[in-house]
Amino acid sequence: VRDHGFHTVRVRRVVHETEAARSYVLGIPDELRAGFDYAAGQFVTVRAHVAGATKLRCYSMSSAPEVDDELVVTVKRVPGGAVSNWLVDHVTAGDELEVTYPAGSFRLTPTSGALVAFAAGSGITPIMSLLRSALSTTERPVQLFYANQDRASTIFSERLDRLQHDSAGRMVLERHEDVVAGFVDADEVRSFVGTPEPDAEYYVCGPTPFMDIVESALRGLGVEPEHVHVERFAAPPEPIEHASTSDGATSTVVIEIEGRTGTAEHRAGTTILQTARQLGLDPPYSCEAGNCATCMARLLEGTVTMLVNDALTDAEVDDGWVLTCQSVPTSPDVHVVYGYD
Ligand SMILES: Cc1cc2nc3c(=O)[nH]c(=O)nc-3n(C[C@H](O)[C@H](O)[C@H](O)COP(=O)(O)OP(=O)(O)OC[C@H]3O[C@@H](n4cnc5c(N)ncnc54)[C@H](O)[C@@H]3O)c2cc1C
Ligand code: FES
């Protein structure tokens, strides 16, 4: 099983990107360097202690490993959000952060086709990493459609202009500002893409409504789903559809977390993570989309179906680990234990 534990690193510098966004340059101690090797597009999970509660949240690297010596994450405030506001308001140079080793499958694929990226707001973070990695290590053409409310809230605005300027014509940058053009719609996405190239790869990251529009426009243009890579920062709002236990019997779910145990009858439409929350167990989670592994737990008894697994390796699954945000019981009795630190 990979190391999913937390490691203490020191913030070297904080860069004021916009009124609501900061970049944190992390100093990685020599003895942890190998563990912190990462691919463009990946993220780390931060463990924050905010107002007496421990919270886990993922933040993508905005740095690119082939270009930058330092590892940088960029965080934008979410209104009312616990961790993003704590980071932006309280974390300064010299502070320590507890973070996992990098993870995530939102990565470049080995192809010479165009990289066509769609970013909105803080979604630019992993896209910035992918763009810079592709520009520095490949000959691929790069296209970025970047939506923001206005110019002042645009993260990396000047750096992107410079990147385009220095790309010798390889990079197309199209900006969208809501204050000028209203919200992004499918026509705009279609006209940006034009006729899709068969070997192009598409990367999408931003708020859920933006991602929905881009994904559906790409589908409408006939782009194959395997060429579309999405990174969801927040869980999609619609409830997860799934089958209940295979024989329709009621199942009992036993959940252990940090020495506390809760037992509940499984309710159709509910994942193990949701059951743990309903039991008041305060389980760890971040993406609720099956791509970060923050919610992983070990299955001690019974069977589950994982609706999505973009985070655990085959070896981890064989070892009994499950993503609780994606797991629904398929046997009458299910027993899971959280805690991999
Ligand atoms: C793989 C991954 C990578 C991520 N990378 C980054 C990154 O590079 N930079 C970054 O700033 N964030 C990133 N996020 C989002 C980040 O993990 C947190 O979800 C975000 O900072 C909000 O956390 P919070 O504790 O402040 O808000 P919470 O207290 O968790 O949430 C407050 C409310 O806001 C909603 N919400 C949560 N996240 C968002 C969002 N992104 N946009 C709008 N509403 C939201 C919640 O549903 C909730 O209703 C990433 C998430 C994932 C899963
Ligand atoms: S919370 Fe991210 S995979 Fe479950």
Side-chain angles (χ1 to χ4, degrees), residues 43 57-60 74-76 78 80-85 122 125 231-234 286-287 291:
F43 60 85
R57 297 288 183 271
C58 303
Y59 293 102
S60 311
T74 301
V75 179
K76 183 177 178 186
V78 167
V83 177
S84 56
N85 288 287
S122 59
T125 302
E231 185 75 306
R232 292 195 179 278
F233 281 4
S286 187
C287 71
N291 68 8

Side-chain angles (χ1 to χ4, degrees), residues 226-242:
E226 59 268 29
H227 294 302
V228 181
H229 310 266
V230 298
E231 185 75 306
R232 292 195 179 278
F233 281 4
E238 65 273 15
I240 296 172
E241 291 292 326
H242 64 79

Side-chain angles (χ1 to χ4, degrees), residues 6-332:
F6 289 86
H7 304 277
T8 302
V9 301
R10 205 172 280 284
V11 176
R12 271 197 196 145
R13 295 189 304 287
V14 179
V15 181
H16 185 115
E17 302 288 1
T18 65
E19 206 280 316
R22 305 284 181 276
S23 288
Y24 299 86
V25 181
L26 304 182
I28 307 297
D30 285 344
E31 65 276 18
L32 299 181
R33 267 195 177 275
F36 275 97
D37 273 352
Y38 66 99
Q42 290 195 303
F43 60 85
V44 292
T45 303
V46 173
R47 178 164 64 186
H49 307 282
V50 183
T54 300
K55 310 231 175 240
L56 309 186
R57 297 288 183 271
C58 303
Y59 293 102
S60 311
M61 268 65 80
S62 52
S63 50
E66 301 86 355
V67 193
D68 300 305
D69 293 334
E70 295 177 309
L71 186 151
V72 184
V73 294
T74 301
V75 179
K76 183 177 178 186
R77 286 182 198 278
V78 167
V83 177
S84 56
N85 288 287
W86 172 78
L87 281 161
V88 171
D89 290 332
H90 297 294
V91 172
T92 56
D95 287 349
E96 288 183 338
L97 284 180
E98 297 170 52
V99 297
T100 59
Y101 286 150
S105 53
F106 192 63
R107 303 166 59 154
L108 295 174
T109 52
T111 166
S112 54
L115 188 169
V116 185
F118 294 86
S122 59
I124 191 63
T125 302
I127 299 279
M128 185 71 171
S129 181
L130 293 169
L131 295 177
R132 293 177 66 236
S133 178
L135 284 167
S136 71
T137 62
T138 73
E139 298 296 317
R140 299 173 66 177
V142 166
Q143 287 171 241
L144 171 63
F145 180 95
Y146 186 21
N148 284 281
Q149 198 188 357
D150 54 25
R151 191 55 66 106
S153 62
T154 303
I155 303 171
F156 306 137
S157 190
E158 286 165 18
R159 282 179 70 191
L160 283 165
D161 283 339
R162 279 201 303 276
L163 206 57
Q164 184 192 24
H165 178 267
D166 296 344
S167 74
R170 266 176 70 200
M171 178 173 166
V172 172
L173 169 61
E174 183 159 322
R175 294 166 181 271
H176 170 104
E177 288 175 16
D178 296 345
V179 287
V180 177
F183 291 128
V184 172
D185 62 22
D187 281 344
E188 211 177 341
V189 174
R190 280 193 288 267
S191 94
F192 177 69
V193 173
T195 306
E197 306 271 345
D199 57 352
E201 295 286 321
Y202 300 81
Y203 290 80
V204 191
C205 189
T208 301
F210 170 82
M211 295 180 72
D212 289 347
I213 285 167
V214 174
E215 280 189 86
S216 111
L218 292 176
R219 259 197 315 275
L221 284 167
V223 175
E224 298 291 339
E226 59 268 29
H227 294 302
V228 181
H229 310 266
V230 298
E231 185 75 306
R232 292 195 179 278
F233 281 4
E238 65 273 15
I240 296 172
E241 291 292 326
H242 64 79
S244 198
T245 47
S246 50
D247 59 2
T250 308
S251 60
T252 303
V253 183
V254 178
I255 300 171
E256 286 181 52
I257 180 165
E258 290 173 355
R260 290 169 297 148
T261 304
T263 304
E265 272 191 10
H266 172 64
R267 293 214 327 260
T270 316
T271 62
I272 300 228
L273 177 73
Q274 288 165 331
T275 305
R277 267 203 221 114
Q278 285 159 5
L279 287 166
L281 291 172
D282 196 18
Y285 69 93
S286 187
C287 71
E288 288 192 69
N291 68 8
C292 77
T294 305
C295 66
M296 70 191 272
R298 200 161 201 160
L299 188 63
L300 294 190
E301 187 188 343
T303 55
V304 301
T305 292
M306 268 194 281
L307 305 166
V308 176
N309 173 20
D310 289 333
L312 296 178
T313 62
D314 292 345
E316 286 167 334
V317 173
D318 290 345
D319 211 26
W321 294 95
V322 295
L323 299 175
T324 57
C325 74
Q326 299 297 318
S327 291
V328 290
T330 49
S331 63

